[in-house]
């Protein structure tokens, strides 16, 4: 099973990016999905999560109001607006063991390879 995250890049502060996470339908269809990020020298942190139906969503306080997670069958998106330099990190998507998303990375079974987001000031 593989997850493929894409959409990262270099953007100026205040700009927007949309990340995508693709996987086989078997991986995503009944599972919660989360986005995490890891900045250089820092631990991986939760960013956003969505349950299998797409109705319940979780956000880290640091991105609430700026980021939006959504899903469409085998794709999960992270729309990132009003980006800040502190959002610079490698972003990972992950498929949960259960149908709901969680803030704890231990709740996730499969991980993508990550996509780099760099926000310049």
């Amino acid at each position: 099973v593989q997850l493929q995250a894409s959409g990262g890049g270099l953007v100026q502060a205040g700009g927007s990016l949309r990340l995508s996470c693709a996987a086989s339908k078997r991986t995503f269809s009944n599972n919660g999905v989360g986005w995490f990020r890891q900045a250089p020298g820092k631990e991986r942190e939760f960013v956003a999560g969505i349950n299998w139906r797409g109705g319940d969503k979780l956000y880290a306080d640091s991105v609430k109001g700026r980021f939006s997670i959504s899903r469409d069958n085998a794709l999960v998106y992270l729309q990132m607006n009003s980006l800040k330099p502190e959002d610079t990190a490698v972003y990972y998507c992950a498929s949960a063991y259960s149908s709901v998303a969680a803030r704890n990375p231990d709740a996730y079974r499969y991980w993508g390879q990550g996509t780099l987001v760099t926000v310049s000031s």
Side-chain angles (χ1 to χ4, degrees):
V1 175
Q2 290 185 337
L3 302 180
Q4 183 74 32
S6 62
L10 174 64
V11 64
Q12 289 188 335
S16 298
L17 282 174
R18 188 177 80 158
L19 305 183
S20 299
C21 182
S24 63
K25 186 177 180 181
R26 178 170 172 264
T27 306
F28 269 177
S29 60
N30 296 315
N31 299 90
V33 174
W35 283 97
F36 290 77
R37 66 187 181 187
Q38 187 166 18
K42 295 187 176 181
E43 293 186 353
R44 188 171 299 189
E45 65 174 354
F46 172 80
V47 176
I50 189 167
N51 74 348
W52 74 287
R53 286 183 179 270
D56 292 329
K57 303 174 183 179
L58 299 172
Y59 295 98
D61 288 343
S62 59
V63 306
K64 200 171 294 183
R66 300 188 298 121
F67 291 11
S68 177
I69 189 170
S70 61
R71 68 186 302 164
D72 178 11
N73 293 326
L75 287 170
V76 175
Y77 304 100
L78 185 68
Q79 177 67 42
M80 305 186 297
N81 298 327
S82 302
L83 282 161
K84 305 175 181 180
E86 51 263 44
D87 294 319
T88 295
V90 176
Y91 284 71
Y92 301 88
C93 61
S95 177
Y97 284 99
S98 73
S99 62
V100 297
R103 300 176 187 274
N104 189 337
D106 292 340
Y108 294 84
R109 181 176 184 182
Y110 300 113
W111 291 80
Q113 85 291 355
T115 184
L116 177 62
V117 172
T118 304
V119 184
S120 63
S121 58

